[in-house]
Amino acid sequence: MSAEFAPPSSATLPLHVLSEAALEGWLADQPKPVQAWVDASGFAGGLGQALVVPGAEGTPVMALAGYGNDAARRRGRFHLAAAVARLPAGEYRIESGLPKDQAANEALGWLLAGYRFDRYRDQTPLAARLVAPEGIDADQIAALATGEMLTRDLINTPASDMGPPDLEAAARKLAEQHGARIEVTTGDALLENNLPMIHTVGRAADRAPRLIDMAWGDTGPKLTLVGKGVCFDTGGLNLKPGASMALMKKDMGGAAAVLGLAHMIMATGMAVQLRVLIPAVENSVSGNAFRPGDILTSRKGLTVEINNTDAEGRLVLADALALADEDKPDQIISMATLTGAARVAVGPDLAPYYCDDADFVAALENAAAGSADPVWRMPFHDAYEALIEPGIADLDNAPKGGFAGSITAALFLRRFVTDSKYAHFDIYGWQPADAPARPKGGTGQGTRALYAALPALLKL
């Protein structure tokens, strides 16, 4: 779905955004009937509160939305969106009370609150529509929201309808929308094109593995996004238990994230040469599935001992990263739902990332703070390099012991990028419970922060 602001019109209802501290002063300037109505309604400016105020003839003349207090706002984001669902149908314009430095994020949150995953069941649309507040870049905000909605749709779609061919179709649709170029290498052609680990991981499935390669833009710095596209992960021969397999439709969350970010970049015409690489596979079980103890030779020539077939995401990413690195772009960024260890470390709300480039870190941290898109830096800890070196091969895909699982996975991936600047995001891609502007289900992480950081990072 796409996100849109309501067009300005004389029929829009003024909306006053009121914190708990600001309510008393605002009420003092209102007519007595308004004061009485607000008091009788119990509106106190709390987060999530909304109230329509009628005029003398009983028709609405304004609406109020609670903005809480500093302590409540520190514990969340998209605060205005908490009240949106409680507003009746209509079009609203922000009349007062919204801090100027929060207007863009709160407008984005309003648009994101309108997201509905309605592929399999009719969903009630959001009744309240927002006219873009003055001073924001409405087109950019709509592009960010639409990119996020694309990510959510892709993750929420079950593997029955989002296998490697379907992920390819989604990429082709996006490419066609923006005039991008796209090439796809499928099945045994992966072997012919020296992408052996993508082929190995995906060969056991009845839907062939593939590498999706999309390119857009002819001038500017080169940016390559690599997204893990494991459309379903059984764990392979190291089969996951049922509880661990239940959410594995989201194991292509990295691919969904980079496609959402790609939309943001292309829709706003960012002056970059963009490349998107997605290894799209299913990690299935059949007679030709790869086995624990196998040793694979990667595109880069590094050999990998397989100690767990459930650590497959880093294998398909490795070939894609090696391919990306051969082009020597100015920046490579990988995004993947890679390890449970990352979730244990930071939980579902933070997007942990790895990067040793001080300029990248500074640009991302500054951008994340203003994008309502929190990230957390994790270390490429060189002392753990020995953990991914099994002796019998160059690399181990699943070091024993269980310590530092996200770090060792990131170190593994770093071995395949030797000529380019590199950052890796180990995201969760799932909102476990409803929150303002973020319903339970698939979600983007790190993409808006990256979008905001790219101009400084790439010196655009």
Side-chain angles (χ1 to χ4, degrees), residues 104-124:
N105 279 337
E106 297 296 5
L108 173 65
W110 190 310
L111 293 184
L112 290 177
Y115 173 77
R116 300 291 187 272
F117 183 61
D118 56 4
R119 178 166 178 170
Y120 303 97
R121 179 182 179 182
D122 290 339
Q123 305 285 349
T124 303

Side-chain angles (χ1 to χ4, degrees), residues 314 336-346 351-354 376 378-381 384 388 399 402-413 424-427:
R314 67 201 69 183
T337 52
L338 203 63
T339 70
R343 309 292 78 73
V344 173
V346 302
Y353 74 98
Y354 294 82
W376 194 264
M378 300 281 279
F380 275 131
H381 189 49
Y384 292 159
I388 61 172
F403 289 130
S406 181
I407 298 174
T408 55
L411 291 171
F412 180 98
L413 295 178
H424 165 61
F425 284 72
D426 190 346
I427 62 174

Side-chain angles (χ1 to χ4, degrees), residues 121-176:
R121 179 182 179 182
D122 290 339
Q123 305 285 349
T124 303
L126 183 68
R129 300 184 67 208
L130 176 68
V131 174
E134 292 184 7
I136 72 165
D137 187 335
D139 290 340
Q140 183 186 75
I141 296 301
L144 294 179
T146 299
E148 165 68 17
M149 290 176 179
L150 172 62
T151 295
R152 293 180 182 183
D153 277 347
L154 294 174
I155 296 174
N156 285 331
T157 304
S160 54
D161 292 320
M162 190 49 64
D166 307 290
L167 190 53
E168 175 188 336
R172 287 190 180 278
K173 181 178 180 181
L174 186 66
E176 181 179 2

Side-chain angles (χ1 to χ4, degrees), residues 52-61:
V52 172
V53 179
E57 298 180 0
T59 57
V61 295

Side-chain angles (χ1 to χ4, degrees), residues 91-293:
E91 297 174 352
Y92 298 81
R93 69 178 187 276
I94 306 297
E95 186 74 10
S96 70
L98 183 63
K100 288 184 178 180
D101 64 348
Q102 293 302 311
N105 279 337
E106 297 296 5
L108 173 65
W110 190 310
L111 293 184
L112 290 177
Y115 173 77
R116 300 291 187 272
F117 183 61
D118 56 4
R119 178 166 178 170
Y120 303 97
R121 179 182 179 182
D122 290 339
Q123 305 285 349
T124 303
L126 183 68
R129 300 184 67 208
L130 176 68
V131 174
E134 292 184 7
I136 72 165
D137 187 335
D139 290 340
Q140 183 186 75
I141 296 301
L144 294 179
T146 299
E148 165 68 17
M149 290 176 179
L150 172 62
T151 295
R152 293 180 182 183
D153 277 347
L154 294 174
I155 296 174
N156 285 331
T157 304
S160 54
D161 292 320
M162 190 49 64
D166 307 290
L167 190 53
E168 175 188 336
R172 287 190 180 278
K173 181 178 180 181
L174 186 66
E176 181 179 2
Q177 177 184 350
H178 295 291
R181 305 172 296 280
I182 189 166
E183 296 181 358
V184 180
T185 306
T186 305
D188 290 343
L190 292 166
L191 296 175
E192 298 165 10
N193 288 275
N194 193 23
L195 297 162
M197 293 205 295
I198 299 174
H199 181 273
T200 296
V201 171
R203 71 190 181 199
D206 60 359
R207 294 184 284 187
R210 62 205 66 205
L211 178 78
I212 301 164
D213 188 345
M214 183 171 69
W216 174 88
D218 298 313
T219 59
K222 290 184 175 181
L223 170 67
T224 299
L225 308 176
V226 182
K228 174 186 169 186
V230 178
C231 295
F232 195 81
D233 182 17
T234 67
L237 293 177
N238 290 114
L239 196 67
K240 291 178 182 288
S244 299
M245 209 184 299
L247 268 183
M248 284 300 99
K249 70 175 184 178
K250 78 171 186 67
D251 211 21
M252 39 63 70
V258 299
L259 287 174
L261 176 55
H263 171 82
M264 299 173 193
I265 291 169
M266 294 187 291
T268 56
M270 191 176 287
V272 298
Q273 297 182 67
L274 175 66
R275 188 181 190 188
V276 179
L277 294 172
I278 296 173
V281 302
E282 291 181 75
N283 188 20
S284 297
V285 177
S286 71
N288 66 341
F290 72 118
R291 298 162 292 263

